[in-house]
Structure formats: C-alpha cells, structure tokens
Amino acid sequence: MKKPVIGVTASHDTEHDKLFINSVYLRAIRSAGGIPMIFPLEVTEDDLRDLVASTDGVLFTGGDDIHPFFYGEETNAKCGNVSQPRDSMEMALVPIVMEFGKPIFGICRGIQVLNTAMGGTLYQDIPSQFQSELSIAHRQPFAYKVPSHTVDVTPGTLLSRILGEENASIAVNSMHHQAIKDVAPGLEVCGCAPDKMIEAVYAPDYPFLLGVQWHPEHLTASQPDAAKLFAAFVDACR
Ligand code: MN
C-alpha cells in the first residue's frame, strides 16, 4: 500500500529567522505509516494549493502564540511572541486544505490555528484570563512525556470513536499558554479538562478534522491513546 504523505507545519524562530521542528512529530507520523513533508513559509496561496494537492493530509503542529488580530483583538500585555509569516501561512493553509476536503490534525497551537482560521477566539494568556476554582496546570512543571491532567471525552464524537467509547477519561500532558475561548462555527468540543478548559474539537460535517490541546506526539511510546490519534489521522489520509 502506498504511504500517505502528510504535510507538516514548522515552527519559526523569529529571532534568527529559522524554521525548525521537533522530530517527535515526524516520528509519530512515520510510526503511524505516513511520510512527513515539512511546509515552507515562503509560499503564495497558489503554491499552497499545489503543495496541498500533492499531500494526503496536513498536521498543524505546536509553537508560539497566534497574533490576536487574527481573531479581532488588541494585543494583551501577557500575549507571547508571534511569527507573522507563520501565522499568515497557516491561516491561508486551513481553508485551502478544507477546499480539498483532506484530513486535518491540529496539535496544541494547531487546535488554536484551526479555531482561529474558522472564526473562533482564544485566551491570550490563560493564567490571567481563564477563571476556574480548580487550579490545574496547563503549563505543567515536568517533562512532556509525563501526563499532568485528565480530559473528559464527549461521547458520540470523533475523539470518542477514535479512543473507543469506553475511554471516557484520558490522561494528557499540558504545555500551552493560550487556549480556545469561543469555539468557531463548524467546530464542536469533544474533550474538556476538569476545569472546563477546551482540550479537543472536531468538525462534525468534515471528513476528518481533529484538534487537541495536548501533545500526543510525546506520549505515543507510553500511551496507546496517543498512538491511536496518529493512527486514526494517518489512516484517514490513505
Ligand atoms: Mn491543558
């Protein structure tokens, strides 16, 4: 069987103007049976269309904060660094992949990119803007490969189907500064942390679109749940 080619977005080191990617993303795709292909930032919309046409699905990876202008807000004093080239490329990429109807998986910043591109909003700084009686760390104080909070999986959703309906709660890692505030039209929540933080969304009317706020690429070795997400995504790309 031909292996699906998965387009992957890279991080942008704005200080040195360098693209980089954590290899764990690429290994997780390979382990699930796909071939990763990193997308550049130096592209026109027509170039992006050609790139998407030659891939079987796209993974939106983690990274810096998203410029608040993309969801109609002024910059909060506690917003983090942004890359305008990366933001612009990814905001253009989302609707193009959707034109093609190809599978989409968003991780951490990726779920935020999907929500923003589809018309939702974000918390620019969770500690100062997200209120909860529970004090759950969304920037965990230990390594990515160690889970730190749980996610309640909404029954009857894409996430629930992937994990198995008996998996009502899963343990995930958490390393995010921003998160979904208002969910975009076309997306539905399929997983929340115990403090009601939105941790997973999907598009019920789209062939395969899943966003997760955690980092399953760091958990695939220790947690079958995390590997199932990559397997489901790559299988949808076949
Ligand atoms: Mn979290």
Side-chain angles (χ1 to χ4, degrees):
M1 198 195 301
K2 188 181 165 293
K3 288 183 182 178
V5 175
I6 314 292
V8 182
T9 62
S11 278
H12 185 209
D13 172 348
T14 52
E15 190 185 341
H16 303 99
D17 195 16
K18 288 180 179 176
L19 286 188
F20 66 98
I21 182 137
N22 291 327
S23 302
V24 278
Y25 289 111
L26 310 180
R27 283 197 291 270
I29 288 173
R30 282 190 57 87
S31 297
I35 305 171
M37 188 177 86
I38 297 166
F39 281 177
L41 299 182
E42 285 69 20
V43 279
T44 64
E45 287 205 14
D46 284 343
D47 296 339
L48 280 178
R49 232 168 237 109
D50 287 348
L51 284 174
V52 171
S54 63
T55 57
D56 300 297
V58 176
L59 170 66
F60 291 82
T61 59
D64 282 342
D65 286 353
I66 295 168
H67 200 297
F69 282 178
F70 284 105
Y71 45 90
E73 290 189 9
E74 300 293 324
T75 302
N76 182 284
K78 291 183 174 168
C79 184
N81 187 37
V82 301
S83 160
Q84 286 188 310
R86 183 179 185 190
D87 285 348
S88 302
M89 188 283 265
E90 294 185 358
M91 290 303 150
L93 179 57
V94 173
I96 289 172
V97 187
M98 293 187 79
E99 272 172 37
F100 283 81
K102 294 193 174 178
I104 298 174
F105 188 19
I107 291 178
C108 197
R109 168 191 159 93
I111 186 179
Q112 299 163 14
V113 166
L114 296 174
N115 189 61
T116 301
M118 293 174 71
T121 65
L122 305 179
Y123 292 108
Q124 293 191 37
D125 174 64
I126 291 169
S128 63
Q129 295 184 327
F130 179 78
Q131 317 296 338
S132 169
E133 288 174 10
L134 299 173
S135 183
I136 290 179
H138 288 283
R139 225 176 214 170
Q140 67 186 48
F142 38 72
Y144 279 72
K145 63 183 179 188
V146 183
S148 69
H149 70 65
T150 56
V151 167
D152 295 322
V153 180
T154 313
T157 60
L158 175 63
L159 183 60
S160 165
R161 287 193 290 279
I162 292 170
L163 297 174
E165 295 287 346
E166 72 286 356
N167 247 339
S169 174
I170 58 168
V172 304
N173 53 14
S174 194
M175 204 66 89
H176 52 114
H177 174 231
Q178 303 197 318
I180 291 179
K181 185 165 61 179
D182 300 304
V183 179
L187 293 179
E188 279 183 23
V189 176
C190 52
C192 280
D195 59 4
K196 304 300 176 210
M197 179 73 78
I198 294 170
E199 292 275 344
V201 296
Y202 77 120
D205 299 325
Y206 189 80
F208 186 104
L209 184 155
L210 178 68
V212 298
Q213 187 56 72
W214 65 95
H215 283 279
E217 75 279 12
H218 285 278
L219 300 171
T220 51
S222 57
Q223 286 201 323
D225 291 343
K228 278 184 194 172
L229 299 181
F230 280 95
F233 169 56
V234 173
D235 284 346
C237 295
R238 286 184 200 281

